[in-house]
């Protein structure tokens, strides 16, 4: 479930960045890139947690 939220955050960030580019809004573009980075970090943490669970078995 958390992985899906991370992917959704990445997608939202991509849309925000694209909208910012279309409107010429540098701040919105930066916010979008930030959301994408946060989503990618969350996804990486989930992947690491899954690997740790698998190795513990």
């Amino acid at each position: 479930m958390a992985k899906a939220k991370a992917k959704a955050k990445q997608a939202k960030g991509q849309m925000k960045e694209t909208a910012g580019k279309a409107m010429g809004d540098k701040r919105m573009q930066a916010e979008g890139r930030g959301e994408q980075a946060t989503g990618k970090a969350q996804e990486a943490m989930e992947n690491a947690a899954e690997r740790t669970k698998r190795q513990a078995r």
Side-chain angles (χ1 to χ4, degrees):
M1 178 95 162
K3 214 176 203 183
K5 286 184 181 182
K7 287 284 190 187
K9 189 169 211 101
Q10 290 177 45
K12 180 182 172 189
Q14 180 65 45
M15 287 187 289
K16 195 178 241 185
E17 182 181 5
T18 302
K21 283 180 184 177
M23 295 187 294
D25 187 340
K26 298 282 185 190
R27 182 177 177 173
M28 186 181 281
Q29 288 178 34
E31 287 175 6
R33 285 191 299 271
E35 285 184 24
Q36 288 178 64
T38 301
K40 286 178 184 179
Q42 288 173 345
E43 184 178 10
M45 288 177 62
E46 286 299 316
N47 288 337
E50 285 178 9
R51 280 192 301 268
T52 300
K53 284 181 185 178
R54 275 188 254 131
Q55 290 177 351
R57 292 181 188 169

